Amino acid sequence: SFCFPTILSNDFFTGLVVRPGYSLADTGAQSGVIGRQAFRNHEKALNELGLKPCKLDFTESTTGIGGGADCLATVMIPIGVCGKSLIGKWTVISDDNIPPLTPLGLFRKLHGVIDPVDKTIHYKEINKTQVMEELSSGHIAHSLMEFGDGFKLEDEPDGTNFEWQFR
């Protein structure tokens, strides 16, 4: 049988903090979301590697369990997972208390299997396993900055490469 917690006080959510370059694995997220301060921290960590996000000309809206959010920008962010370079789309929201939330799409793209007991994500598409970090809150975070030999995007089918936009 299941045991559901009872709310005994008027406590409220005060936010989670993850290390720069890390994100919460959120299979319920349909799109990437990141709070303003977490984005600034992540951007600084990227800059230290000679990388930068790319702001798009539009801003997507986002909603979640708590309703809508004040969306500030939609950005493409360089991602490194077990040495594989990718680009992820995140919406930056004004709430500073929201850490990066990795959307389901990233796990689908790499055929990710999340094992919360062993605290790993196995990516079948690249046959590599990433170790996750358990936060004191019990949430599980994973690195988005495992670039291996550096950030290297594969060419598009027509031969173009967009890597330069993130340097």
Side-chain angles (χ1 to χ4, degrees):
S1 72
F2 292 96
C3 177
F4 295 98
T6 303
I7 297 174
L8 299 175
S9 68
N10 289 328
D11 290 341
F12 57 92
F13 177 74
T14 57
L16 294 167
V17 176
V18 298
R19 290 191 294 152
Y22 276 70
S23 179
L24 297 182
D26 186 355
T27 59
Q30 295 299 308
S31 58
V33 174
I34 185 170
R36 177 180 23 214
Q37 188 57 50
F39 175 71
R40 288 178 186 145
N41 295 341
H42 192 84
E43 184 176 32
K44 182 178 178 187
L46 284 170
N47 291 163
E48 291 172 4
L49 297 174
L51 298 171
K52 64 181 181 181
C54 180
K55 187 175 185 285
L56 299 178
D57 292 336
F58 60 89
T59 300
E60 292 185 344
S61 62
T62 184
T63 59
I65 301 271
D70 183 19
C71 302
L72 304 175
T74 298
V75 295
M76 301 300 284
I77 298 177
I79 298 172
V81 175
C82 297
K84 172 82 172 164
S85 295
L86 305 157
I87 300 298
K89 183 169 61 172
W90 260 261
T91 298
V92 181
I93 61 174
S94 62
D95 189 338
D96 286 333
N97 294 320
I98 302 299
L101 303 177
T102 304
L104 181 60
L106 179 116
F107 303 114
R108 280 192 174 144
K109 180 175 183 70
L110 295 178
H111 302 180
V113 178
I114 299 171
D115 183 338
V117 175
D118 290 337
K119 299 180 188 111
T120 60
I121 305 172
H122 179 70
Y123 299 99
K124 294 180 184 180
E125 183 70 18
I126 57 175
N127 195 28
K128 300 225 173 142
T129 300
Q130 182 179 47
V131 176
M132 296 185 293
E133 180 178 295
E134 185 170 354
L135 306 177
S136 60
S137 65
H139 291 83
I140 298 175
H142 67 107
S143 177
L144 296 176
M145 298 184 69
E146 294 177 357
F147 293 107
D149 293 332
F151 178 69
K152 298 175 186 157
L153 287 179
E154 296 175 9
D155 289 347
E156 296 293 317
D158 66 0
T160 58
N161 188 299
F162 296 101
E163 188 177 310
W164 63 272
Q165 294 181 349
F166 301 96
R167 297 210 180 268

